[in-house]
Amino acid sequence: MSKGVLGAVLTALVVLGAGTTAGAVGETGGGTAGDAVGGAAGQVAGLVAGEVVGAAEADLAHHGHVSLWDGRVGVWLVTENRGPSDVLDATVRLAFSAPMAGGQELPPGCLWSSSRVVSCRTGALPDGGTAGELALDLRAVGRPQELTVDVSTAWRSGGVDRNSVNDRHRVLVLATGDPYVF
């Protein structure tokens, strides 16, 4: 943890601890100031870890396959929200280990972040819903015999995803034309 973040956490703990009394902890007044500071420490630690305290939870998952043949890269991807809350919008990031050729058009809602990264908007994902299939047909620079594709959620509107294992994948793809599933 950086010194700046650690300092902010410690300052927040001191401020939260100083303004808490024993009677303010529970409705019946049975708690202690130490209990309140411990609870505040958990909330501050959650904020430092990137969580929004009290935010809804939504579990995004990306699944599909990638193929590589004759210098072409095909990506087929579906994003799913396993809930329990709706997601207003999200962005999936596809990072390639080899650069892609310039001048290629992408589907609506997608943009080039660099010659190796494409970011695509999923749109709204209701609890239990999926985004339409995303299909990319790209040309790599040269004819790589293999490459890796990192698939991840770059951003989501609202909600905390406590299970990021199913929305982060690294796929090794060989130039066989076979679909490598993730």
Side-chain angles (χ1 to χ4, degrees), residues 25-62:
V25 174
E27 291 178 21
T28 60
T32 66
D35 293 337
V37 172
Q43 288 182 343
V44 171
L47 288 171
V48 170
E51 298 176 9
V52 178
V53 176
E57 185 172 349
D59 181 20
L60 296 186
H62 306 296

Side-chain angles (χ1 to χ4, degrees), residues 1-180:
M1 192 178 306
S2 73
K3 290 180 183 179
V5 172
L6 182 58
V9 170
L10 293 175
T11 301
L13 288 175
V14 169
V15 170
L16 289 171
T20 306
T21 63
V25 174
E27 291 178 21
T28 60
T32 66
D35 293 337
V37 172
Q43 288 182 343
V44 171
L47 288 171
V48 170
E51 298 176 9
V52 178
V53 176
E57 185 172 349
D59 181 20
L60 296 186
H62 306 296
H63 299 289
H65 65 273
V66 182
S67 296
L68 175 64
W69 70 99
D70 295 327
R72 299 201 69 84
V73 181
V75 179
W76 295 268
L77 170 82
V78 172
T79 299
E80 171 186 12
N81 178 7
R82 296 181 177 172
S85 300
D86 297 344
V87 172
L88 299 176
D89 202 0
T91 302
V92 61
R93 179 179 183 264
L94 304 164
F96 303 94
S97 63
M100 298 295 117
Q104 299 181 74
E105 287 199 35
L106 296 172
C110 294
L111 59 86
W112 289 100
S113 299
S114 75
S115 66
R116 295 175 187 251
V117 178
V118 174
S119 299
C120 296
R121 180 176 180 242
T122 66
L125 293 161
D127 174 18
T130 61
E133 182 179 277
L134 171 65
L136 298 174
D137 182 12
L138 305 172
R139 287 182 327 277
V141 171
R143 293 176 60 147
Q145 293 303 301
E146 68 179 37
L147 60 80
T148 58
V149 181
D150 290 325
V151 179
S152 63
T153 300
W155 175 82
R156 87 184 128 273
S157 173
V160 174
D161 189 343
R162 298 186 200 289
N163 179 20
S164 63
V165 173
N166 57 4
D167 71 335
R168 296 181 193 276
H169 306 282
R170 175 169 279 170
V171 186
L172 173 62
V173 185
L174 304 178
T176 60
D178 295 323
Y180 290 82

